[in-house]
Amino acid sequence: MEWTDEGIVLGVRRHGESSAIVELLTRGHGRHLGLVRGGAGSRLRPLLQPGNSVSAVWRARLDEHLGTYAIEGLKLRAATLLGSSHGVYGVTHLASIARLLPERDPHEQIFAMLEHSLDDFDDIGSAAVHVIHFELAMLGELGFGLALENCAVTGETTDLIYVSPKSGGAVSRTAGEPWRDRLLRLPPFLRQGQMHDDLTDEDLQDGFRLTGLFLLRHVLEPRGQGHSDARAGFISALTRQQAKAALPAP
């Protein structure tokens, strides 16, 4: 058995004295593990960092075997990502939720979204938007997508500003007003066709609250898990940055 594919490094663990088991999210073969001989050595270690894009050749005698990877670097983002606290937390969190995908099951849209997110991670505000969109996409990929295109009560497609915490459906301003205290806020950048040039701190916090609730309820808690420390660390880094930006100039 043999195939060649692009992959994004999700994680690495040492195996024996010099090898490593590498977990990739590949474009055409999904989340896939393989043994890299010499992967714990100084030559390959820089390539095998979370967030890096690589070209991988996987070989095994049988399809169900772990197999081995021969890996070459394509886009080595790790040095930049690991240079900031939001980058460290962000890539760790994105890898942790990508790991929720079933092994060896292709998810090309998720791969493309993860790749695009990591390419645009320098600014913490942009990174936060990407993380929220990725969490939302993962909910859909795992079968728990939110219905944000029209009002769950009236069917309207405009003025959608709330989300029902029970159904995950959008609710219009008029229909939701009597129950506004029980509904989640739908930030403008998650509304269909809305740009986020005027993104506010409240929008980002509301976005994390929204995706966090449904990820926890439908995906993590049924598996006996909770939100990762990396997610909390990323949101904390975002909050600190927001507070710093709000301080008056000296």
Side-chain angles (χ1 to χ4, degrees):
M1 304 296 299
E2 179 176 327
W3 49 256
T4 301
D5 205 349
E6 295 177 47
I8 298 169
V9 179
L10 299 181
V12 181
R13 66 178 186 268
R14 193 176 185 119
H15 184 79
E17 292 187 5
S18 61
S19 297
I21 294 176
V22 179
E23 182 179 24
L24 302 179
L25 181 64
T26 64
R27 183 183 299 277
H29 297 83
R31 187 173 65 84
H32 207 290
L33 281 75
L35 179 73
V36 177
R37 303 191 190 282
S42 58
R43 186 179 70 84
L44 289 177
R45 196 182 305 122
L47 271 64
L48 304 179
Q49 296 296 316
N52 282 345
S53 287
V54 298
S55 174
V57 179
W58 181 82
R59 297 183 180 93
R61 190 168 64 84
L62 296 175
D63 187 56
E64 60 266 25
H65 288 176
L66 172 65
T68 61
Y69 275 138
I71 284 182
E72 295 181 3
L74 292 177
K75 189 174 290 187
L76 306 186
R77 310 180 186 88
T80 301
L81 291 171
L82 302 181
S84 65
S85 60
H86 83 265
V88 173
Y89 288 125
V91 70
T92 303
H93 171 57
L94 289 172
S96 74
I97 56 175
R99 205 168 277 125
L100 296 169
L101 294 169
E103 195 176 346
R104 304 190 178 193
D105 188 15
H107 295 269
E108 292 194 29
Q109 288 185 328
I110 291 294
F111 174 88
M113 181 173 278
L114 179 59
E115 186 177 47
H116 177 61
S117 299
L118 294 172
D119 282 340
D120 192 27
F121 227 68
D122 291 344
D123 174 72
I124 192 170
S126 297
V129 170
H130 284 302
V131 171
I132 293 167
H133 276 295
F134 191 76
E135 291 184 340
L136 195 64
M138 281 294 298
L139 279 167
E141 204 75 7
L142 295 169
F144 305 103
L146 307 187
L148 304 181
E149 293 76 24
N150 54 272
C151 177
V153 179
T154 65
E156 296 177 31
T157 57
T158 58
D159 209 18
L160 306 175
I161 66 168
Y162 302 114
V163 176
S164 166
K166 292 184 178 180
S167 69
V171 181
S172 68
R173 185 187 307 272
T174 303
E177 194 61 28
W179 298 278
R180 59 181 300 175
D181 294 338
R182 303 180 187 178
L183 300 173
L184 298 167
R185 179 173 175 266
L186 177 60
F189 74 93
L190 290 182
R191 300 174 200 165
Q192 192 174 27
Q194 293 282 328
M195 301 299 289
H196 50 84
D197 295 335
D198 55 349
L199 195 66
T200 68
D201 298 347
E202 183 184 18
D203 290 337
L204 293 176
Q205 295 297 336
D206 285 337
F208 278 114
R209 189 175 299 112
L210 177 65
T211 55
L213 172 69
F214 291 101
L215 272 173
L216 191 62
R217 180 192 297 166
H218 295 302
V219 179
L220 297 173
E221 286 183 341
R223 300 170 185 234
Q225 301 177 22
H227 284 303
S228 68
D229 292 340
R231 186 180 195 268
F234 181 86
I235 295 173
S236 178
L238 174 65
T239 302
R240 289 195 302 271
Q241 181 67 24
Q242 290 170 335
K244 183 179 179 180
L247 292 174

PDB file of all heavy atoms in Angstrom, residues 5-10 24-25 27 46-56 71-78 81 111 114-116 118-119:
ATOM      1  N   ASP A   5       0.484  12.480  -0.348  1.00  0.00           N
ATOM      2  CA  ASP A   5      -0.533  13.495  -0.063  1.00  0.00           C
ATOM      3  C   ASP A   5       0.114  14.671   0.664  1.00  0.00           C
ATOM      4  O   ASP A   5       1.219  14.566   1.207  1.00  0.00           O
ATOM      5  CB  ASP A   5      -1.647  12.889   0.807  1.00  0.00           C
ATOM      6  CG  ASP A   5      -2.977  13.606   0.668  1.00  0.00           C
ATOM      7  OD1 ASP A   5      -3.008  14.701   0.058  1.00  0.00           O
ATOM      8  OD2 ASP A   5      -3.977  13.084   1.179  1.00  0.00           O
ATOM      9  N   GLU A   6      -0.593  15.799   0.659  1.00  0.00           N
ATOM     10  CA  GLU A   6      -0.209  16.928   1.508  1.00  0.00           C
ATOM     11  C   GLU A   6      -0.817  16.725   2.884  1.00  0.00           C
ATOM     12  O   GLU A   6      -1.921  16.180   3.010  1.00  0.00           O
ATOM     13  CB  GLU A   6      -0.735  18.240   0.930  1.00  0.00           C
ATOM     14  CG  GLU A   6      -0.156  18.631  -0.401  1.00  0.00           C
ATOM     15  CD  GLU A   6      -0.814  19.901  -0.906  1.00  0.00           C
ATOM     16  OE1 GLU A   6      -0.948  20.869  -0.120  1.00  0.00           O
ATOM     17  OE2 GLU A   6      -1.227  19.913  -2.081  1.00  0.00           O
ATOM     18  N   GLY A   7      -0.115  17.182   3.909  1.00  0.00           N
ATOM     19  CA  GLY A   7      -0.647  17.049   5.252  1.00  0.00           C
ATOM     20  C   GLY A   7      -0.222  18.204   6.143  1.00  0.00           C
ATOM     21  O   GLY A   7       0.776  18.883   5.873  1.00  0.00           O
ATOM     22  N   ILE A   8      -0.996  18.423   7.200  1.00  0.00           N
ATOM     23  CA  ILE A   8      -0.675  19.405   8.235  1.00  0.00           C
ATOM     24  C   ILE A   8      -0.388  18.626   9.509  1.00  0.00           C
ATOM     25  O   ILE A   8      -1.184  17.776   9.920  1.00  0.00           O
ATOM     26  CB  ILE A   8      -1.826  20.398   8.449  1.00  0.00           C
ATOM     27  CG1 ILE A   8      -2.080  21.199   7.171  1.00  0.00           C
ATOM     28  CG2 ILE A   8      -1.515  21.343   9.613  1.00  0.00           C
ATOM     29  CD1 ILE A   8      -3.354  22.021   7.201  1.00  0.00           C
ATOM     30  N   VAL A   9       0.750  18.900  10.130  1.00  0.00           N
ATOM     31  CA  VAL A   9       1.130  18.184  11.344  1.00  0.00           C
ATOM     32  C   VAL A   9       0.215  18.586  12.500  1.00  0.00           C
ATOM     33  O   VAL A   9       0.088  19.764  12.826  1.00  0.00           O
ATOM     34  CB  VAL A   9       2.598  18.471  11.716  1.00  0.00           C
ATOM     35  CG1 VAL A   9       2.976  17.719  13.004  1.00  0.00           C
ATOM     36  CG2 VAL A   9       3.541  18.084  10.585  1.00  0.00           C
ATOM     37  N   LEU A  10      -0.447  17.586  13.091  1.00  0.00           N
ATOM     38  CA  LEU A  10      -1.292  17.812  14.267  1.00  0.00           C
ATOM     39  C   LEU A  10      -0.556  17.489  15.562  1.00  0.00           C
ATOM     40  O   LEU A  10      -0.783  18.128  16.591  1.00  0.00           O
ATOM     41  CB  LEU A  10      -2.566  16.955  14.192  1.00  0.00           C
ATOM     42  CG  LEU A  10      -3.502  17.193  13.009  1.00  0.00           C
ATOM     43  CD1 LEU A  10      -4.713  16.280  13.115  1.00  0.00           C
ATOM     44  CD2 LEU A  10      -3.940  18.646  12.936  1.00  0.00           C
ATOM     45  N   LEU A  24      -0.996  13.396  11.034  1.00  0.00           N
ATOM     46  CA  LEU A  24      -1.249  14.427  10.026  1.00  0.00           C
ATOM     47  C   LEU A  24      -2.738  14.528   9.742  1.00  0.00           C
ATOM     48  O   LEU A  24      -3.459  13.527   9.790  1.00  0.00           O
ATOM     49  CB  LEU A  24      -0.542  14.094   8.705  1.00  0.00           C
ATOM     50  CG  LEU A  24       0.976  13.901   8.703  1.00  0.00           C
ATOM     51  CD1 LEU A  24       1.429  13.545   7.290  1.00  0.00           C
ATOM     52  CD2 LEU A  24       1.691  15.146   9.205  1.00  0.00           C
ATOM     53  N   LEU A  25      -3.182  15.735   9.409  1.00  0.00           N
ATOM     54  CA  LEU A  25      -4.473  15.888   8.742  1.00  0.00           C
ATOM     55  C   LEU A  25      -4.136  16.062   7.268  1.00  0.00           C
ATOM     56  O   LEU A  25      -3.559  17.082   6.865  1.00  0.00           O
ATOM     57  CB  LEU A  25      -5.244  17.102   9.256  1.00  0.00           C
ATOM     58  CG  LEU A  25      -6.616  17.301   8.597  1.00  0.00           C
ATOM     59  CD1 LEU A  25      -7.549  16.130   8.914  1.00  0.00           C
ATOM     60  CD2 LEU A  25      -7.258  18.614   9.032  1.00  0.00           C
ATOM     61  N   ARG A  27      -4.941  16.035   3.017  1.00  0.00           N
ATOM     62  CA  ARG A  27      -5.997  16.555   2.150  1.00  0.00           C
ATOM     63  C   ARG A  27      -6.937  15.446   1.681  1.00  0.00           C
ATOM     64  O   ARG A  27      -8.154  15.589   1.725  1.00  0.00           O
ATOM     65  CB  ARG A  27      -5.380  17.257   0.935  1.00  0.00           C
ATOM     66  CG  ARG A  27      -6.399  17.897   0.020  1.00  0.00           C
ATOM     67  CD  ARG A  27      -5.743  18.509  -1.201  1.00  0.00           C
ATOM     68  NE  ARG A  27      -4.793  19.555  -0.869  1.00  0.00           N
ATOM     69  CZ  ARG A  27      -5.133  20.831  -0.626  1.00  0.00           C
ATOM     70  NH1 ARG A  27      -6.407  21.199  -0.658  1.00  0.00           N
ATOM     71  NH2 ARG A  27      -4.212  21.731  -0.348  1.00  0.00           N
ATOM     72  N   PRO A  46      12.514  19.803  13.294  1.00  0.00           N
ATOM     73  CA  PRO A  46      11.923  21.096  12.905  1.00  0.00           C
ATOM     74  C   PRO A  46      10.759  20.958  11.923  1.00  0.00           C
ATOM     75  O   PRO A  46       9.859  21.795  11.907  1.00  0.00           O
ATOM     76  CB  PRO A  46      13.100  21.845  12.266  1.00  0.00           C
ATOM     77  CG  PRO A  46      14.316  21.203  12.842  1.00  0.00           C
ATOM     78  CD  PRO A  46      13.959  19.760  13.000  1.00  0.00           C
ATOM     79  N   LEU A  47      10.770  19.906  11.074  1.00  0.00           N
ATOM     80  CA  LEU A  47       9.685  19.696  10.119  1.00  0.00           C
ATOM     81  C   LEU A  47       8.426  19.195  10.808  1.00  0.00           C
ATOM     82  O   LEU A  47       7.307  19.509  10.378  1.00  0.00           O
ATOM     83  CB  LEU A  47      10.098  18.674   9.049  1.00  0.00           C
ATOM     84  CG  LEU A  47      10.797  19.171   7.791  1.00  0.00           C
ATOM     85  CD1 LEU A  47      12.154  19.778   8.139  1.00  0.00           C
ATOM     86  CD2 LEU A  47      10.956  18.022   6.804  1.00  0.00           C
ATOM     87  N   LEU A  48       8.627  18.422  11.882  1.00  0.00           N
ATOM     88  CA  LEU A  48       7.504  17.708  12.492  1.00  0.00           C
ATOM     89  C   LEU A  48       6.904  18.481  13.655  1.00  0.00           C
ATOM     90  O   LEU A  48       6.615  17.931  14.721  1.00  0.00           O
ATOM     91  CB  LEU A  48       7.973  16.310  12.948  1.00  0.00           C
ATOM     92  CG  LEU A  48       8.601  15.441  11.856  1.00  0.00           C
ATOM     93  CD1 LEU A  48       9.046  14.111  12.433  1.00  0.00           C
ATOM     94  CD2 LEU A  48       7.615  15.234  10.709  1.00  0.00           C
ATOM     95  N   GLN A  49       6.699  19.778  13.454  1.00  0.00           N
ATOM     96  CA  GLN A  49       6.098  20.636  14.470  1.00  0.00           C
ATOM     97  C   GLN A  49       4.647  20.934  14.101  1.00  0.00           C
ATOM     98  O   GLN A  49       4.331  21.135  12.925  1.00  0.00           O
ATOM     99  CB  GLN A  49       6.877  21.944  14.594  1.00  0.00           C
ATOM    100  CG  GLN A  49       8.310  21.773  15.071  1.00  0.00           C
ATOM    101  CD  GLN A  49       8.389  21.211  16.473  1.00  0.00           C
ATOM    102  OE1 GLN A  49       7.657  21.638  17.373  1.00  0.00           O
ATOM    103  NE2 GLN A  49       9.250  20.225  16.677  1.00  0.00           N
ATOM    104  N   PRO A  50       3.729  20.953  15.088  1.00  0.00           N
ATOM    105  CA  PRO A  50       2.318  21.236  14.793  1.00  0.00           C
ATOM    106  C   PRO A  50       2.138  22.534  14.014  1.00  0.00           C
ATOM    107  O   PRO A  50       2.759  23.551  14.323  1.00  0.00           O
ATOM    108  CB  PRO A  50       1.691  21.331  16.189  1.00  0.00           C
ATOM    109  CG  PRO A  50       2.562  20.462  17.046  1.00  0.00           C
ATOM    110  CD  PRO A  50       3.951  20.662  16.514  1.00  0.00           C
ATOM    111  N   GLY A  51       1.318  22.464  12.984  1.00  0.00           N
ATOM    112  CA  GLY A  51       1.047  23.626  12.154  1.00  0.00           C
ATOM    113  C   GLY A  51       1.811  23.643  10.848  1.00  0.00           C
ATOM    114  O   GLY A  51       1.440  24.372   9.923  1.00  0.00           O
ATOM    115  N   ASN A  52       2.877  22.860  10.748  1.00  0.00           N
ATOM    116  CA  ASN A  52       3.641  22.803   9.498  1.00  0.00           C
ATOM    117  C   ASN A  52       2.895  22.008   8.431  1.00  0.00           C
ATOM    118  O   ASN A  52       2.234  21.010   8.735  1.00  0.00           O
ATOM    119  CB  ASN A  52       5.001  22.146   9.734  1.00  0.00           C
ATOM    120  CG  ASN A  52       6.007  23.081  10.382  1.00  0.00           C
ATOM    121  OD1 ASN A  52       5.808  24.291  10.408  1.00  0.00           O
ATOM    122  ND2 ASN A  52       7.085  22.521  10.907  1.00  0.00           N
ATOM    123  N   SER A  53       3.043  22.445   7.179  1.00  0.00           N
ATOM    124  CA  SER A  53       2.526  21.681   6.042  1.00  0.00           C
ATOM    125  C   SER A  53       3.665  20.861   5.441  1.00  0.00           C
ATOM    126  O   SER A  53       4.775  21.370   5.273  1.00  0.00           O
ATOM    127  CB  SER A  53       1.945  22.610   4.975  1.00  0.00           C
ATOM    128  OG  SER A  53       0.711  23.149   5.396  1.00  0.00           O
ATOM    129  N   VAL A  54       3.374  19.611   5.126  1.00  0.00           N
ATOM    130  CA  VAL A  54       4.401  18.703   4.612  1.00  0.00           C
ATOM    131  C   VAL A  54       3.838  17.902   3.443  1.00  0.00           C
ATOM    132  O   VAL A  54       2.628  17.798   3.259  1.00  0.00           O
ATOM    133  CB  VAL A  54       4.888  17.727   5.713  1.00  0.00           C
ATOM    134  CG1 VAL A  54       5.529  18.485   6.869  1.00  0.00           C
ATOM    135  CG2 VAL A  54       3.744  16.843   6.221  1.00  0.00           C
ATOM    136  N   SER A  55       4.768  17.347   2.671  1.00  0.00           N
ATOM    137  CA  SER A  55       4.424  16.342   1.671  1.00  0.00           C
ATOM    138  C   SER A  55       4.780  14.995   2.273  1.00  0.00           C
ATOM    139  O   SER A  55       5.901  14.809   2.762  1.00  0.00           O
ATOM    140  CB  SER A  55       5.208  16.583   0.380  1.00  0.00           C
ATOM    141  OG  SER A  55       4.983  15.525  -0.540  1.00  0.00           O
ATOM    142  N   ALA A  56       3.836  14.057   2.255  1.00  0.00           N
ATOM    143  CA  ALA A  56       4.042  12.771   2.915  1.00  0.00           C
ATOM    144  C   ALA A  56       3.791  11.614   1.951  1.00  0.00           C
ATOM    145  O   ALA A  56       2.800  11.609   1.221  1.00  0.00           O
ATOM    146  CB  ALA A  56       3.112  12.649   4.122  1.00  0.00           C
ATOM    147  N   ILE A  71       8.729  12.100   4.795  1.00  0.00           N
ATOM    148  CA  ILE A  71       8.161  13.451   4.867  1.00  0.00           C
ATOM    149  C   ILE A  71       9.156  14.500   4.384  1.00  0.00           C
ATOM    150  O   ILE A  71      10.346  14.438   4.690  1.00  0.00           O
ATOM    151  CB  ILE A  71       7.718  13.751   6.320  1.00  0.00           C
ATOM    152  CG1 ILE A  71       6.404  13.009   6.600  1.00  0.00           C
ATOM    153  CG2 ILE A  71       7.557  15.248   6.568  1.00  0.00           C
ATOM    154  CD1 ILE A  71       5.834  13.239   7.965  1.00  0.00           C
ATOM    155  N   GLU A  72       8.627  15.468   3.614  1.00  0.00           N
ATOM    156  CA  GLU A  72       9.387  16.643   3.194  1.00  0.00           C
ATOM    157  C   GLU A  72       8.586  17.885   3.559  1.00  0.00           C
ATOM    158  O   GLU A  72       7.354  17.898   3.459  1.00  0.00           O
ATOM    159  CB  GLU A  72       9.652  16.620   1.691  1.00  0.00           C
ATOM    160  CG  GLU A  72      10.552  15.484   1.226  1.00  0.00           C
ATOM    161  CD  GLU A  72      10.798  15.547  -0.269  1.00  0.00           C
ATOM    162  OE1 GLU A  72      10.308  16.500  -0.903  1.00  0.00           O
ATOM    163  OE2 GLU A  72      11.467  14.636  -0.788  1.00  0.00           O
ATOM    164  N   GLY A  73       9.272  18.940   3.950  1.00  0.00           N
ATOM    165  CA  GLY A  73       8.599  20.171   4.337  1.00  0.00           C
ATOM    166  C   GLY A  73       8.066  20.946   3.149  1.00  0.00           C
ATOM    167  O   GLY A  73       8.700  21.005   2.093  1.00  0.00           O
ATOM    168  N   LEU A  74       6.876  21.532   3.298  1.00  0.00           N
ATOM    169  CA  LEU A  74       6.293  22.401   2.281  1.00  0.00           C
ATOM    170  C   LEU A  74       6.188  23.839   2.781  1.00  0.00           C
ATOM    171  O   LEU A  74       6.668  24.772   2.153  1.00  0.00           O
ATOM    172  CB  LEU A  74       4.900  21.898   1.879  1.00  0.00           C
ATOM    173  CG  LEU A  74       4.825  20.575   1.127  1.00  0.00           C
ATOM    174  CD1 LEU A  74       3.362  20.194   0.880  1.00  0.00           C
ATOM    175  CD2 LEU A  74       5.573  20.657  -0.197  1.00  0.00           C
ATOM    176  N   LYS A  75       5.561  24.015   3.915  1.00  0.00           N
ATOM    177  CA  LYS A  75       5.397  25.349   4.494  1.00  0.00           C
ATOM    178  C   LYS A  75       5.608  25.223   6.007  1.00  0.00           C
ATOM    179  O   LYS A  75       4.760  24.678   6.719  1.00  0.00           O
ATOM    180  CB  LYS A  75       4.009  25.915   4.191  1.00  0.00           C
ATOM    181  CG  LYS A  75       3.855  27.373   4.589  1.00  0.00           C
ATOM    182  CD  LYS A  75       2.511  27.936   4.134  1.00  0.00           C
ATOM    183  CE  LYS A  75       2.436  28.092   2.632  1.00  0.00           C
ATOM    184  NZ  LYS A  75       1.211  28.788   2.200  1.00  0.00           N
ATOM    185  N   LEU A  76       6.739  25.730   6.478  1.00  0.00           N
ATOM    186  CA  LEU A  76       7.116  25.562   7.884  1.00  0.00           C
ATOM    187  C   LEU A  76       6.676  26.791   8.676  1.00  0.00           C
ATOM    188  O   LEU A  76       7.415  27.772   8.813  1.00  0.00           O
ATOM    189  CB  LEU A  76       8.626  25.321   7.994  1.00  0.00           C
ATOM    190  CG  LEU A  76       9.163  24.164   7.136  1.00  0.00           C
ATOM    191  CD1 LEU A  76      10.633  23.924   7.425  1.00  0.00           C
ATOM    192  CD2 LEU A  76       8.360  22.883   7.374  1.00  0.00           C
ATOM    193  N   ARG A  77       5.466  26.742   9.176  1.00  0.00           N
ATOM    194  CA  ARG A  77       4.876  27.873   9.896  1.00  0.00           C
ATOM    195  C   ARG A  77       5.206  27.865  11.379  1.00  0.00           C
ATOM    196  O   ARG A  77       4.955  28.843  12.081  1.00  0.00           O
ATOM    197  CB  ARG A  77       3.348  27.850   9.778  1.00  0.00           C
ATOM    198  CG  ARG A  77       2.783  27.701   8.407  1.00  0.00           C
ATOM    199  CD  ARG A  77       1.263  27.690   8.488  1.00  0.00           C
ATOM    200  NE  ARG A  77       0.649  27.419   7.204  1.00  0.00           N
ATOM    201  CZ  ARG A  77       0.393  26.186   6.760  1.00  0.00           C
ATOM    202  NH1 ARG A  77       0.716  25.134   7.505  1.00  0.00           N
ATOM    203  NH2 ARG A  77      -0.185  26.009   5.592  1.00  0.00           N
ATOM    204  N   ALA A  78       5.664  26.727  11.905  1.00  0.00           N
ATOM    205  CA  ALA A  78       5.733  26.534  13.350  1.00  0.00           C
ATOM    206  C   ALA A  78       6.544  27.615  14.044  1.00  0.00           C
ATOM    207  O   ALA A  78       6.162  28.096  15.114  1.00  0.00           O
ATOM    208  CB  ALA A  78       6.294  25.153  13.676  1.00  0.00           C
ATOM    209  N   LEU A  81       4.305  30.581  14.335  1.00  0.00           N
ATOM    210  CA  LEU A  81       3.159  30.301  15.202  1.00  0.00           C
ATOM    211  C   LEU A  81       3.565  30.216  16.665  1.00  0.00           C
ATOM    212  O   LEU A  81       2.847  30.687  17.555  1.00  0.00           O
ATOM    213  CB  LEU A  81       2.499  28.985  14.776  1.00  0.00           C
ATOM    214  CG  LEU A  81       1.763  28.992  13.427  1.00  0.00           C
ATOM    215  CD1 LEU A  81       1.370  27.569  13.042  1.00  0.00           C
ATOM    216  CD2 LEU A  81       0.530  29.885  13.494  1.00  0.00           C
ATOM    217  N   PHE A 111      -9.663  20.362   5.863  1.00  0.00           N
ATOM    218  CA  PHE A 111      -8.238  20.521   5.591  1.00  0.00           C
ATOM    219  C   PHE A 111      -7.958  21.908   5.011  1.00  0.00           C
ATOM    220  O   PHE A 111      -7.039  22.619   5.458  1.00  0.00           O
ATOM    221  CB  PHE A 111      -7.752  19.440   4.624  1.00  0.00           C
ATOM    222  CG  PHE A 111      -6.318  19.633   4.191  1.00  0.00           C
ATOM    223  CD1 PHE A 111      -5.284  19.091   4.930  1.00  0.00           C
ATOM    224  CD2 PHE A 111      -6.016  20.369   3.049  1.00  0.00           C
ATOM    225  CE1 PHE A 111      -3.963  19.277   4.536  1.00  0.00           C
ATOM    226  CE2 PHE A 111      -4.697  20.566   2.657  1.00  0.00           C
ATOM    227  CZ  PHE A 111      -3.667  20.015   3.400  1.00  0.00           C
ATOM    228  N   LEU A 114      -8.369  24.619   7.654  1.00  0.00           N
ATOM    229  CA  LEU A 114      -7.268  24.634   8.610  1.00  0.00           C
ATOM    230  C   LEU A 114      -6.027  25.263   7.982  1.00  0.00           C
ATOM    231  O   LEU A 114      -5.343  26.084   8.612  1.00  0.00           O
ATOM    232  CB  LEU A 114      -6.963  23.212   9.089  1.00  0.00           C
ATOM    233  CG  LEU A 114      -5.806  23.066  10.087  1.00  0.00           C
ATOM    234  CD1 LEU A 114      -6.071  23.881  11.343  1.00  0.00           C
ATOM    235  CD2 LEU A 114      -5.589  21.594  10.437  1.00  0.00           C
ATOM    236  N   GLU A 115      -5.746  24.906   6.754  1.00  0.00           N
ATOM    237  CA  GLU A 115      -4.590  25.460   6.052  1.00  0.00           C
ATOM    238  C   GLU A 115      -4.710  26.974   5.918  1.00  0.00           C
ATOM    239  O   GLU A 115      -3.754  27.722   6.193  1.00  0.00           O
ATOM    240  CB  GLU A 115      -4.477  24.802   4.681  1.00  0.00           C
ATOM    241  CG  GLU A 115      -3.240  25.174   3.899  1.00  0.00           C
ATOM    242  CD  GLU A 115      -3.167  24.410   2.583  1.00  0.00           C
ATOM    243  OE1 GLU A 115      -4.189  24.354   1.855  1.00  0.00           O
ATOM    244  OE2 GLU A 115      -2.083  23.881   2.289  1.00  0.00           O
ATOM    245  N   HIS A 116      -5.881  27.453   5.520  1.00  0.00           N
ATOM    246  CA  HIS A 116      -6.108  28.886   5.361  1.00  0.00           C
ATOM    247  C   HIS A 116      -6.009  29.598   6.712  1.00  0.00           C
ATOM    248  O   HIS A 116      -5.437  30.694   6.810  1.00  0.00           O
ATOM    249  CB  HIS A 116      -7.484  29.124   4.734  1.00  0.00           C
ATOM    250  CG  HIS A 116      -7.843  30.574   4.601  1.00  0.00           C
ATOM    251  ND1 HIS A 116      -7.113  31.468   3.857  1.00  0.00           N
ATOM    252  CD2 HIS A 116      -8.865  31.293   5.150  1.00  0.00           C
ATOM    253  CE1 HIS A 116      -7.662  32.665   3.933  1.00  0.00           C
ATOM    254  NE2 HIS A 116      -8.723  32.589   4.715  1.00  0.00           N
ATOM    255  N   LEU A 118      -4.244  28.755   9.400  1.00  0.00           N
ATOM    256  CA  LEU A 118      -2.857  28.822   9.849  1.00  0.00           C
ATOM    257  C   LEU A 118      -2.037  29.819   9.041  1.00  0.00           C
ATOM    258  O   LEU A 118      -1.093  30.429   9.555  1.00  0.00           O
ATOM    259  CB  LEU A 118      -2.223  27.434   9.786  1.00  0.00           C
ATOM    260  CG  LEU A 118      -2.810  26.401  10.741  1.00  0.00           C
ATOM    261  CD1 LEU A 118      -2.244  25.016  10.448  1.00  0.00           C
ATOM    262  CD2 LEU A 118      -2.545  26.783  12.199  1.00  0.00           C
ATOM    263  N   ASP A 119      -2.405  30.029   7.779  1.00  0.00           N
ATOM    264  CA  ASP A 119      -1.702  30.998   6.931  1.00  0.00           C
ATOM    265  C   ASP A 119      -2.016  32.433   7.332  1.00  0.00           C
ATOM    266  O   ASP A 119      -1.293  33.356   6.944  1.00  0.00           O
ATOM    267  CB  ASP A 119      -2.079  30.799   5.460  1.00  0.00           C
ATOM    268  CG  ASP A 119      -1.369  29.616   4.833  1.00  0.00           C
ATOM    269  OD1 ASP A 119      -0.325  29.185   5.379  1.00  0.00           O
ATOM    270  OD2 ASP A 119      -1.850  29.107   3.799  1.00  0.00           O
TER     271      ASP A 119
END
